[in-house]
Amino acid sequence: MINLSLIDKESMIRLKFEGTLSEKDHLAILAESVSDIKKHLFKAEEIEYVEKKLEYASIITLNQLYRNVYIIAFSSNNFDYTSKEKLRKTGAELCALLKKEKVQFIQLTGSFQEGLLALTEGLALSAYTFGKYKSATTVYFPESIALHSEGLEESAVRELQNLVEGVYHTRNLINEPVNFLTAEQLGEEFKSLGKEAGFNVEVFDKQKITELKMGGLLSVNAGSPNPPTFIIAEYKPANAINTRPYILVGKGVVYDTGGLSLKPTPNSMDLMKSDMAGGAAVAGILYAVAKNRLPLHIIGLVPATENRPDGNAMTPGDVIRMYDGTSVEVLNTDAEGRLILADALAYAAQYDPLLVADLATLTGAAARAIGKEGIVYMGTAEQEYKTRLENSGRAVYERLVEFPLWEEYGKQLQSDIADLKNIGSGDAGAITAGKFMQHFVKYNWLHLDIAGSAFLTAEDSYRGKNGTGAGVRLFYDFFKNLSQHN
């Protein structure tokens, strides 16, 4: 049996590869035809009942008294990324039925393996619950999933388990409140995940950050009672096929009040424990990559801090000096993510990377532009990287929309007294944020603004509610494809 363990150890779902099916346990059948159903149902009245329901029901529930049988009808003709997404969402529907019926163990079977794995993925992701702070004991349904399909390899089930677990870890980090998850604690969580999965973690403290003169990170942290950290996580297997690393940079603002440019509370500041979703995604990606032993050298960089408004806090009008020496006039302290990311992006240059990609809940402008349905991205990377990432976005249904970085946007960032100012005129806010960060990169670079999809205030199929883990499945697929085609 393969365990799916989480930071919240009470919350656990287990995936296992099963050679044979039990006739007593609950069963879900992914069926392309009536003949697929007849492999598991033998009574004429049951088959007749299912055939009548097939025309209009996505999931047919058959109560056999001692167990339930769930039939999911689908077609493998012209099976593409939209078909796969439909099965993930059907997995979420199935999970809702299992929770309602308090089904703890479910068997899944079907002859079409790609579809079966997609259904399982949706089901497993939907089973997530963050119950760490509940006083009453939380009961999780389902607790265990067994997969059976002729020719299905256990390695495929294990890979999916590790990926789902990476998403779970990311969601847990995002859902943690700042009175537990400070910047220092985030570093400890990275170390714990690294020890479990097999990647190394080093955490710079405030003294080291000061010695490095990371002015963006230090200035954002100036109003916080808790010190900042700079997390360096590295996965470098002996069989890595890349001599130069791929680098992920994640925004790690563990709580964002807006600083002295204070945010309103309703539907704004009250959600800002999630402002480190990019940093959490870096942890989840490295976890899944390391657990599945992809042959790639990958480094994660996460500048972490709170953004708070005490008497020492950075003030609008301040001029700060960044890690690379750039002077920045800060006109809005709530445009803080780009400041800490700029230090990390400049720091990344020392590794001579093949590609640097950052993930950040950076702007409301990105969320307003495309909502929760996708991810805004932009960058200077070669077209091959952009195409690969967009293909991965479709495959996992975290679709990407590219915004331009035209040189005219840079004019909005011109300061009267410094090299740059940290905000533009108000138009094209997602782009001017990216344009600001572009100043600090001299390599292949992609910026992903996950503000719309990283944290949801209402249930959305298998993405659930609250932290979604956006970016984990996207970059796992991206890196897996790179490892197979290089």
Side-chain angles (χ1 to χ4, degrees):
M1 183 172 288
I2 305 170
N3 290 329
L4 192 60
S5 60
L6 309 173
I7 295 174
D8 176 5
K9 296 297 183 182
E10 294 179 357
S11 165
M12 183 169 63
I13 184 170
R14 298 183 298 275
L15 298 183
K16 70 174 184 176
F17 170 81
E18 190 64 76
T20 58
L21 291 173
S22 165
E23 294 183 1
K24 297 181 179 179
D25 292 311
H26 299 289
L27 175 67
I29 306 166
L30 184 62
E32 192 167 6
S33 65
V34 175
S35 61
D36 289 336
I37 299 167
K38 289 180 178 179
K39 294 176 184 177
H40 308 283
L41 300 181
F42 307 105
K43 295 181 179 179
E45 59 270 25
E46 290 181 340
I47 296 171
E48 183 181 356
Y49 172 80
V50 170
E51 286 181 320
K52 288 180 180 178
K53 292 276 189 177
L54 278 175
E55 296 181 6
Y56 57 87
S58 59
I59 301 177
I60 302 156
T61 303
L62 185 65
N63 187 332
Q64 293 184 326
L65 299 183
Y66 59 93
R67 71 169 183 176
N68 286 341
V69 177
Y70 305 92
I71 296 95
I72 297 100
F74 88 110
S75 173
S76 62
N77 292 332
N78 302 315
F79 193 83
D80 62 4
Y81 73 96
T82 59
S83 310
K84 188 180 290 188
E85 176 66 4
K86 185 176 180 181
L87 281 176
R88 291 191 196 100
K89 290 183 175 180
T90 303
E93 293 178 36
L94 178 60
C95 188
L97 291 174
L98 299 179
K99 288 179 179 179
K100 184 178 179 180
E101 296 289 337
K102 294 182 170 52
V103 172
Q104 293 183 301
F105 174 67
I106 183 71
Q107 304 172 102
L108 301 183
T109 188
S111 58
F112 188 63
Q113 293 176 17
E114 187 177 4
L116 185 64
L117 289 170
L119 180 72
T120 305
E121 182 181 19
L123 172 56
L125 290 173
S126 302
Y128 172 83
T129 302
F130 186 68
K132 177 179 175 181
Y133 297 103
K134 293 283 190 180
S135 297
T137 302
T138 303
V139 181
Y140 300 90
F141 300 102
E143 291 183 344
S144 186
I145 304 170
L147 282 80
H148 175 272
S149 180
E150 186 175 346
L152 178 66
E153 296 184 0
E154 186 172 1
S155 59
V157 180
R158 188 178 297 276
E159 179 184 29
L160 178 58
Q161 172 231 308
N162 290 333
L163 177 57
V164 170
E165 190 171 340
V167 176
Y168 270 45
H169 283 307
T170 299
R171 289 178 177 179
N172 281 337
L173 289 172
I174 297 168
N175 291 332
E176 282 283 2
V178 71
N179 61 338
F180 171 77
L181 195 69
T182 62
E184 289 178 307
Q185 187 61 40
L186 181 61
E188 293 303 310
E189 297 299 323
F190 260 83
K191 289 179 180 179
S192 177
L193 292 173
K195 184 177 181 180
E196 182 180 341
F199 59 87
N200 297 318
V201 178
E202 183 178 11
V203 180
F204 291 169
D205 61 13
K206 186 174 183 178
Q207 180 179 341
K208 178 67 172 178
I209 294 167
T210 302
E211 291 171 2
L212 290 171
K213 298 180 180 179
M214 290 185 168
L217 180 53
L218 290 167
S219 296
V220 174
N221 179 255
S224 172
N226 300 306
T229 58
F230 189 81
I231 302 164
I232 302 174
E234 183 173 21
Y235 172 64
K236 190 177 183 180
N239 63 339
I241 61 176
N242 53 317
T243 55
R244 297 162 58 199
Y246 298 105
I247 296 181
L248 296 170
V249 176
K251 178 183 174 183
V253 178
V254 293
Y255 193 78
D256 181 22
T257 67
L260 289 179
S261 304
L262 198 67
K263 294 177 183 288
T265 298
N267 298 313
S268 182
M269 196 197 301
D270 55 334
L271 307 177
M272 284 300 104
K273 67 179 183 179
S274 67
D275 211 20
M276 40 62 71
V282 170
I285 296 162
L286 284 170
Y287 182 93
V289 165
K291 287 279 277 191
N292 284 323
R293 303 294 183 259
L294 296 189
L296 294 176
H297 180 197
I298 303 172
I299 296 171
L301 304 176
V302 179
T305 180
E306 297 158 50
N307 184 22
R308 291 189 186 252
D310 87 340
N312 294 318
M314 176 175 58
T315 61
D318 282 355
V319 175
I320 65 175
R321 185 74 63 178
M322 308 295 287
Y323 170 77
D324 73 342
T326 299
S327 62
V328 175
E329 182 184 14
V330 178
L331 296 181
N332 188 323
T333 65
D334 195 24
E336 87 296 334
R338 65 200 69 182
L339 299 177
I340 70 171
L341 288 170
D343 278 346
L345 291 169
Y347 186 86
Q350 67 183 284
Y351 296 104
D352 187 25
L354 283 169
L355 172 72
V356 176
D358 73 78
L359 297 97
T361 49
L362 204 62
T363 67
R368 287 189 294 271
I370 63 170
K372 62 181 174 58
E373 281 70 31
I375 296 172
V376 166
Y377 92 106
M378 60 201 80
T380 62
E382 297 169 4
Q383 186 58 46
E384 178 189 356
Y385 286 121
K386 292 181 178 180
T387 300
R388 284 183 180 274
L389 194 65
E390 287 185 14
N391 288 341
S392 290
R394 283 186 286 271
V396 304
Y397 224 71
E398 292 185 357
R399 295 161 296 176
L400 294 155
V401 179
E402 184 177 7
F403 280 16
L405 284 171
W406 298 327
E407 61 182 29
E408 288 83 358
Y409 293 115
K411 295 178 181 178
Q412 294 189 37
L413 300 172
Q414 293 174 356
S415 167
D416 292 336
I417 62 172
D419 297 327
L420 292 173
K421 58 182 180 179
N422 77 324
I423 57 171
S425 65
D427 294 331
I431 296 173
T432 54
K435 197 69 181 175
F436 177 89
M437 292 191 296
Q438 184 185 359
H439 173 87
F440 300 89
V441 302
K442 305 291 188 294
Y443 40 67
N444 279 312
W445 164 68
L446 294 171
H447 160 56
L448 283 75
D449 194 329
I450 59 174
S453 59
F455 192 88
L456 304 178
T457 56
E459 195 89 16
D460 184 33
S461 187
Y462 62 86
R463 294 199 292 174
K465 183 181 179 182
N466 299 322
T468 64
V472 176
R473 294 163 53 248
L474 170 65
F475 272 95
Y476 180 78
D477 189 84
F478 174 75
F479 285 131
K480 180 181 177 180
N481 289 333
L482 280 177
S483 70
Q484 293 174 337
H485 293 97
N486 275 12

